[in-house]
Each structure stands twice: as C-alpha cells, then as structure tokens.
Amino acid sequence: MASDQYFDDDPTVPSSPLVVDVTLSDTAFTMETDRGVFSHGHLDAATSMLLRAALPLAPSGDVLDLGCGAGPIALAMARRSPDATVWAVDVNARARTLCRSNADRNGLPNIVVAHPDDVPVDLQFSTIWSNPPIRIGKAALHQLLITWLGRLTPTGNAALVVQKHLGADSLQRWLHGQGYVCERLTSKAGFRLFGVRRAEASPG
Ligand SMILES: C[S@@+](CC[C@H](N)C(=O)[O-])C[C@H]1O[C@@H](n2cnc3c(N)ncnc32)[C@H](O)[C@@H]1O
C-alpha cells in the first residue's frame, strides 16, 4: 500500500518533485523536494527559524544534520562552513537521494549523505542541528536524541527546533534530566529553538 509518512524508510507514494528557492540573510540555495519527504514544496517554518537564528557552527571538522530530509539544514551548514564535513543522515531513502542531488545542484561537495547506520561509530560532532522527527513517538525520539547527542564532542553543541504543541517544553525537561543543558534560544510562532550541550561542558 502506498504510504507518505515522511519518516518511512522507503516511501512508495508516487514522486512529484517541486523545486523550492530558499533565501536566507547570508546565503541562498535551490532545493528539490518530493512527496514522501518532509516539507514537500516548501521550507518548513521551524526549519526556517533554525536557519535564520545566529547559531554557532564549527568552521571545520564533522558536523551533523540529524534527519536531513531534502537537506535544507545540511545545505546551509555546508555553505556557512565550507571547510567542515556535513553529515546529513536520514532513514528515508527518498530523502537521502534528494539531499545528495541537492548538494550537487548547489555545488556543495562537503556534504556526506548517509543512512544513520552507515556513519562511522567513532565519529563525533562539534555541531548538531536538527528539526527532529517528533512524530516518530516519544520513546523513539528519546532514543534518537540520546544516541546522537551522545556523539557531541565534549564542548560541542546542538540546536533543536520543536513545535511547542508537540511537546517542546517536556522535551527540554527530559534533556535536563539526561545531563544536558538545554536553553531556550528563541520562542516564536509556536516554535521553540533549543541550544543543547553537555552539562559538564563549558559554554561557548
Ligand atoms: C521534521 S523532518 C526534518 C527534515 C529536514 N531536516 C527539514 O528541516 O526539512 C525529520 C526527518 O527525520 C527523519 N528521521 C526519522 N527517523 C529518523 C532516524 N531514526 N534517524 C534519522 N533520521 C530520522 C525523517 O525521515 C525526516 O526526514
């Protein structure tokens, strides 16, 4: 049966590509989107909020876009830190294909698109940015965040954007309980942007 959940491993819903132009204050790119992948035909409002915030981003080394979809976060990271390697991971095969072609389309060779299981286990990330897949359910989301936040470098930091009505504040409390500092950086239009780092790490 055809399915169009954006977090399916292998969406079977028929393809219907739509190209989206994304303009930020410091850069612009073009992104192909498709059915069966998050935010078909537009840049998601939460993702837009994350990309428009002045977030710290490591200038080099390995950084991560967790749940890349068609790749808007990875594309912006790669543009802003051309000397970094941007790992763009997603379980959705159609999303990975789109993200790869969007990296090529925008001339960004520093993006590595991978299934989560194919990222080398010893790799750590100085920056993680994500509009995480809240709709996979609380237990799966918690497991996902514990796995990947656990791969932050000791002084690394993450930025997570979450809709308030999808449990942003309880997620913040849960992250505190897991030993992370989780600060609300911005709150507007029903979204929270959180900055996350290990509690024992010094800020900055
Ligand atoms: C809210 S969407 C964000 C997509 C994209 N970053 C954007 O901002 O447009 C979350 C993404 O996480 C992916 N995802 C779901 N479960 C995942 C998992 N276990 N590991 C990695 N990615 C996952 C989904 O397939 C989806 O593309």
Side-chain angles (χ1 to χ4, degrees):
M1 193 175 104
S3 164
D4 62 357
Q5 289 284 12
Y6 71 76
F7 48 83
D8 281 347
D9 288 3
D10 197 6
T12 53
V13 66
S15 174
S16 176
L18 281 175
V19 172
V20 176
D21 292 319
V22 176
T23 303
L24 304 171
S25 61
D26 60 329
T27 189
F29 51 83
T30 300
M31 169 178 81
E32 186 172 310
T33 66
D34 204 348
R35 292 179 71 197
V37 176
F38 184 75
S39 76
H40 182 211
H42 65 283
L43 177 69
D44 178 67
T47 301
S48 175
M49 178 173 159
L50 185 152
L51 295 180
R52 291 173 203 285
L55 293 169
L57 173 61
S60 59
D62 294 298
V63 302
L64 174 69
D65 170 5
L66 174 58
C68 62
I73 295 176
L75 295 168
M77 291 175 109
R79 271 279 165 74
R80 290 173 179 168
S81 284
D83 294 330
T85 300
V86 179
W87 290 81
V89 307
D90 208 294
V91 289
N92 179 324
R94 193 177 288 183
R96 294 195 301 276
T97 300
L98 276 177
C99 188
R100 247 178 230 116
S101 67
N102 284 330
D104 291 345
R105 170 192 281 266
N106 290 281
L108 293 166
N110 56 327
I111 296 179
V112 180
V113 182
H115 185 280
D117 294 346
D118 295 334
V119 178
V121 288
D122 55 347
L123 212 60
Q124 290 195 310
F125 304 98
S126 40
T127 305
I128 299 175
W129 287 357
S130 184
N131 177 353
I134 301 294
R135 293 187 191 278
I136 61 177
K138 194 189 265 192
L141 176 70
H142 287 178
Q143 187 55 52
L144 182 74
L145 293 177
I146 284 302
T147 299
W148 293 98
L149 292 174
R151 297 179 68 169
L152 276 172
T153 58
T155 57
N157 60 74
L160 306 176
V161 66
V162 182
Q163 281 193 49
K164 187 172 175 330
H165 85 274
L166 291 180
D169 295 340
S170 71
L171 186 68
Q172 182 182 28
R173 285 192 295 276
W174 177 79
L175 283 165
H176 282 148
Q178 298 299 311
Y180 290 94
V181 174
C182 180
E183 292 167 333
R184 195 193 293 177
L185 303 177
T186 318
S187 178
K188 64 178 173 203
F191 300 110
R192 305 272 204 241
L193 178 63
F194 294 126
V196 183
R197 63 179 194 276
R198 295 178 196 282
E200 70 271 22
S202 55

